[in-house]
């Protein structure tokens, strides 16, 4: 009975209030803060959301089912999202709609070169912008009839999700001062801080990332990033 109800729910047609009803979205996103924003947007839009937090998890998902839309973050713990985009485009079956996501505007060119059909910048647009970015790549029969109800309220994830991202990054920086895990933590923090409008944390993370990429001594940049991060974690509200 439960399976029948689930199938019935997701076979419903899109409406003006829920224009993504009937759509299944796979979000390949490692940040809990960003994932929570996507969850809220999908819930209010009528879409069904599945999440993978790395490339390996995404591949497992895709081996079992085929979503209508795949949202791929470019900075993932086990590689770059462009790898998955290229794999999906090279598959034997018709690929789903593929949209790349990143807090770095310069990443759009790489995503489109890999085969993405669109690019969604972080922080994510409001609900109407999120819906429009997806609908613009769906066939007409998956659009609601008539005009959409454009909600202007922002998508506001829970601060607990942000705190989880900060804590995870702090643990990586503590155990790995200059290796791949630390570089990934800085990349995650840069993206999360950008989405959370925390310019101070974003600058500290980017400073570490630049020093790492240039092969410079990381002690000063590492210490600065740890200090800023510790302040955020100790605050009752991280931002």
């Amino acid at each position: 009975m439960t399976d029948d109800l689930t199938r019935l729910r997701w076979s419903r047609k899109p409406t003006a209030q829920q224009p993504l009803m009937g759509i299944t979205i796979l979000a390949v996103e490692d940040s809990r803060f960003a994932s929570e924003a996507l969850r809220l947007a999908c819930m209010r839009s009528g879409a069904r959301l599945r999440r993978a937090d790395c490339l390996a998890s995404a591949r497992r998902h895709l081996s079992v089912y085929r979503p209508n839309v795949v949202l791929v973050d470019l900075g993932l713990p086990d590689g770059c999202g462009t790898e998955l985009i290229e794999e999906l485009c090279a598959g034997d079956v018709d690929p789903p709609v593929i949209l790349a996501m990143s807090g770095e505007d310069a990443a759009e060119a790489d995503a489109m070169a890999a085969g993405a059909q669109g690019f969604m910048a972080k922080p994510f647009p409001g609900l109407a912008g999120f819906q429009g970015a997806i609908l613009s790549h769906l066939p007409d029969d998956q659009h609601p009839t008539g005009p959409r109800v454009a909600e202007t309220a922002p998508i506001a994830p829970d601060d607990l999700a942000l705190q989880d991202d900060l804590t995870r990054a702090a643990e990586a920086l503590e155990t790995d001062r200059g290796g791949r895990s630390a570089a990934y933590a800085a990349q995650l923090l840069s993206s999360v801080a950008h989405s959370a409008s925390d310019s101070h944390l974003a600058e500290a993370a980017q400073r570490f990332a630049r020093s790492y990429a240039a092969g410079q001594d990381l002690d000063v940049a590492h210490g600065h990033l740890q200090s800023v991060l510790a302040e955020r974690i100790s605050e009752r509200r991280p931002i």
Side-chain angles (χ1 to χ4, degrees), residues 72 76 80 93 96 128 175-176 179 195 215 229 236:
V72 186
L76 296 164
C80 181
V93 298
T175 57
D176 181 13
S195 295
L229 185 53
R236 185 173 181 180

Side-chain angles (χ1 to χ4, degrees), residues 31-212:
S31 163
R32 275 201 61 200
F33 188 65
S35 295
E36 177 64 6
L38 290 171
R39 184 189 71 81
L40 293 172
C42 287
M43 181 179 67
R44 290 159 63 181
S45 302
R48 183 182 188 184
L49 178 68
R50 296 176 183 259
R51 180 199 172 204
D53 60 2
C54 63
L55 293 175
S57 178
R59 290 170 179 136
R60 288 194 295 270
H61 276 274
L62 291 165
S63 69
V64 175
Y65 73 95
R66 181 64 54 172
N68 304 97
V69 178
V70 182
L71 304 178
V72 186
D73 183 38
L74 296 189
L76 296 164
D78 54 350
C80 181
T82 54
E83 299 175 36
L84 182 63
I85 293 171
E86 291 172 349
E87 290 172 17
L88 287 170
C89 291
D92 295 332
V93 298
D94 291 336
V97 172
I98 306 168
L99 303 180
M101 306 182 293
S102 177
E104 302 292 333
D105 293 338
E108 182 174 1
D110 292 337
M112 302 304 286
Q117 292 156 274
F119 181 81
M120 194 177 297
K122 297 180 183 179
F124 297 121
L127 188 61
F130 171 81
Q131 295 168 352
I134 293 175
L135 285 169
S136 64
H137 297 285
L138 293 178
D140 290 342
D141 62 358
Q142 291 181 321
H143 286 226
T145 57
R148 285 186 290 129
V149 176
E151 290 193 36
T152 57
I155 302 171
D158 194 313
D159 281 334
L160 289 176
L162 175 58
Q163 189 80 357
D164 183 80
D165 283 343
L166 299 183
T167 301
R168 183 156 54 96
E171 291 172 351
L173 287 169
E174 183 66 29
T175 57
D176 181 13
R177 295 184 63 86
R180 176 174 171 76
S181 294
Y184 164 71
Q187 172 186 279
L188 173 64
L189 286 172
S190 177
S191 177
V192 170
H194 183 64
S195 295
S197 301
D198 188 338
S199 58
H200 192 192
L201 179 58
E203 190 281 328
Q206 291 161 7
R207 177 182 176 186
F208 180 91
R210 289 193 297 268
S211 297
Y212 178 87

Side-chain angles (χ1 to χ4, degrees), residues 4-25:
D4 291 339
L5 290 174
T6 299
R7 283 194 294 270
L8 176 62
R9 180 184 180 190
W10 298 116
S11 64
R12 290 171 57 190
K13 298 297 183 181
T15 67
Q17 290 77 21
Q18 294 191 310
L20 301 183
M21 178 64 72
I23 300 300
T24 298
I25 296 174

Side-chain angles (χ1 to χ4, degrees), residues 209-224:
R210 289 193 297 268
S211 297
Y212 178 87
Q216 299 172 351
D217 183 84
L218 296 174
D219 285 346
V220 174
H222 185 277
H224 179 57

